[in-house]
Amino acid sequence: MGKAAAARKLASAAAYGGGGLSVLGAALYGVLATEARLAKQAVGPIREEPPPDPTGWYGRGRPGPALTMVLLGDSSAAGYGVDRPEQTPGGLLASGVSETADRRLYLRDLAVVGARSSDLADQIDQALPLEPDVAVVLIGANDVTHLVPPSASVRYLSEGVRRLEDAGCAVVVATCPDLGSVKPIASPLKEVARSWSRRLAAAQTIAVVEEGGRTVSVGSILGPEFAAEPTVLFGPDKFHPSVEGYRRLATVLLPSALAAFGLAEDEGDRLESQRGEGVLPVTDAALRAVRTPGTEVDGTEIGGNRRGVRGLWVELRHRRRRTDVEGEAPEELEERDVPAHDGTAVEAGSGTGTGTD
């Protein structure tokens, strides 16, 4: 089976409730199960304390109406391993959006360490009352390491994106990272993990765009760059990003988060063919996206039609990274009021939830 057919099969299985093991097949699934157990034994000690919570207001003194963003997903969204809120992906993204928009922004970080795609429903239950403008989702790695059938992973993600989009919230999903970059996984099984995660990322892309969201590939930012600088970009446990790793992750996500807010800075609606951008069928775009970090895939129309003979039409973009991303700490607790739908504020609730991996 070719890569395009494999991605289509997995996305279709997710959409229609299929329960097959995966596009990799039962034999390789079992191999990965063994390797995952060995890799988890090689991972460094788990930190007991939860990640710092970046929930709060950003952009002190900037005008309104306020923007609202929620961050959903697993430890990569929560910023496991860092020490300060401004070092987390949420703090970096909220700071970047607020600065670019020149508006105040309220961030609610609902990501949970150890979360899988099946846990998104609970996080979305907490997010929807805030009526967020944009939701950023990072999910998938724990589905692989916990051997969740990919069809189930993609189905949970698809349902979550549908709920958010139906509520008027734009969705940006960072697809499954390249687990072949994780040092404790040894070759040749490293290549199995890489293949698994890339195919899951392609299927996530198809499912998310079908539901109206957009995706950003992060596999390679957690791949070749991490392999070249593992002591800089991986944290002490050899599995999660370091402070610098999270910062580089934020440089990939920020341009697409800005686009979801309608704040794409200097690119407008132009697609630059010399940069590999263009309008493609969704499966072709999904397979290209997993090979290049920061590739955004979003739905579009041709002649008023969302679909062609080869499926959904999408735009594939390589948005320019924001290398100047600097995080700021959220305002103090007594000022962290939750924005109401009209841009005013009401009393804040609790911060992010955390668990164990």
Side-chain angles (χ1 to χ4, degrees):
M1 180 183 298
K3 291 183 178 179
R8 281 196 299 267
K9 179 179 179 181
L10 179 52
S12 177
Y16 294 104
L21 284 178
S22 80
V23 294
L24 294 177
L28 288 182
Y29 187 92
V31 168
L32 186 58
T34 301
E35 187 58 37
R37 286 192 291 270
L38 294 174
K40 290 182 74 173
Q41 294 173 10
V43 167
I46 301 299
R47 295 178 62 159
E48 295 297 329
E49 66 274 17
D53 184 5
T55 293
W57 282 100
Y58 292 78
R60 182 190 298 273
R62 293 193 171 105
L67 303 171
T68 305
M69 180 169 68
V70 293
L71 191 62
L72 312 175
D74 55 24
S75 55
S76 60
Y80 175 91
V82 305
D83 298 315
R84 301 197 303 272
E86 60 267 31
Q87 297 172 330
T88 64
L92 291 164
L93 290 174
S95 300
V97 172
S98 175
E99 179 183 356
T100 302
D102 192 27
R103 289 167 65 178
R104 298 193 79 202
L105 179 144
Y106 181 79
L107 170 72
R108 181 72 182 277
D109 186 351
L110 295 164
V112 177
V113 175
R116 310 172 202 176
S117 298
S118 58
D119 297 312
L120 285 176
D122 289 339
Q123 296 180 26
I124 292 170
D125 287 343
Q126 298 175 68
L128 289 179
L130 297 172
E131 300 184 13
D133 300 301
V134 170
V136 178
V137 183
L138 293 89
I139 202 75
N142 290 322
D143 293 70
V144 176
T145 60
H146 288 80
L147 313 178
V148 177
S151 59
S153 299
V154 180
R155 184 172 67 252
Y156 288 126
L157 177 60
S158 178
E159 291 169 353
V161 173
R162 185 184 313 131
R163 290 180 63 197
L164 290 163
E165 289 283 342
D166 287 348
C169 175
V171 181
V172 179
V173 174
T175 55
C176 183
D178 180 2
L179 295 182
S181 65
V182 177
K183 192 172 181 179
I185 299 180
S187 293
L189 297 180
K190 181 183 293 289
E191 284 67 43
V192 175
R194 172 164 289 122
S195 177
W196 177 296
S197 51
R198 285 185 175 182
R199 292 194 183 200
L200 177 56
Q204 288 177 320
T205 297
I206 296 169
V208 168
V209 177
E210 286 279 0
E211 298 298 342
R214 73 182 74 205
T215 62
V216 185
S217 60
V218 299
S220 292
I221 200 66
L222 300 174
E225 292 181 76
F226 274 57
E229 301 180 85
T231 59
V232 175
L233 298 176
F234 274 126
D237 67 359
K238 305 176 186 178
F239 188 86
H240 294 89
S242 64
V243 171
E244 177 62 18
Y246 284 121
R247 191 189 69 80
R248 293 202 190 182
L249 180 61
T251 69
V252 169
L253 294 177
L254 180 56
S256 294
L258 290 170
F261 276 107
L263 298 169
E265 293 182 276
D266 57 359
E267 297 162 282
D269 294 326
R270 301 190 309 273
L271 291 172
E272 300 180 21
S273 58
Q274 67 271 26
R275 299 180 65 218
E277 299 181 336
V279 176
L280 300 168
V282 64
T283 300
D284 293 348
L287 294 170
R288 290 193 188 187
V290 298
R291 296 193 293 266
T292 306
T295 302
E296 178 186 292
V297 179
D298 191 16
T300 190
E301 294 182 356
I302 293 183
N305 296 314
R306 293 186 66 225
R307 296 181 182 276
V309 294
R310 297 177 60 195
L312 199 69
W313 290 116
V314 300
E315 291 182 348
L316 183 147
R317 293 180 181 270
H318 302 296
R319 296 192 184 273
R320 291 174 174 84
R321 297 187 195 178
R322 285 284 303 273
T323 57
D324 59 342
V325 176
E326 296 293 338
E328 63 176 89
E331 295 178 22
E332 296 300 322
L333 180 61
E334 60 269 22
E335 300 180 48
R336 283 164 50 186
D337 298 330
V338 179
H341 68 278
D342 60 358
T344 60
V346 295
E347 187 177 351
S350 59
T352 184
T354 55
T356 56
D357 199 0

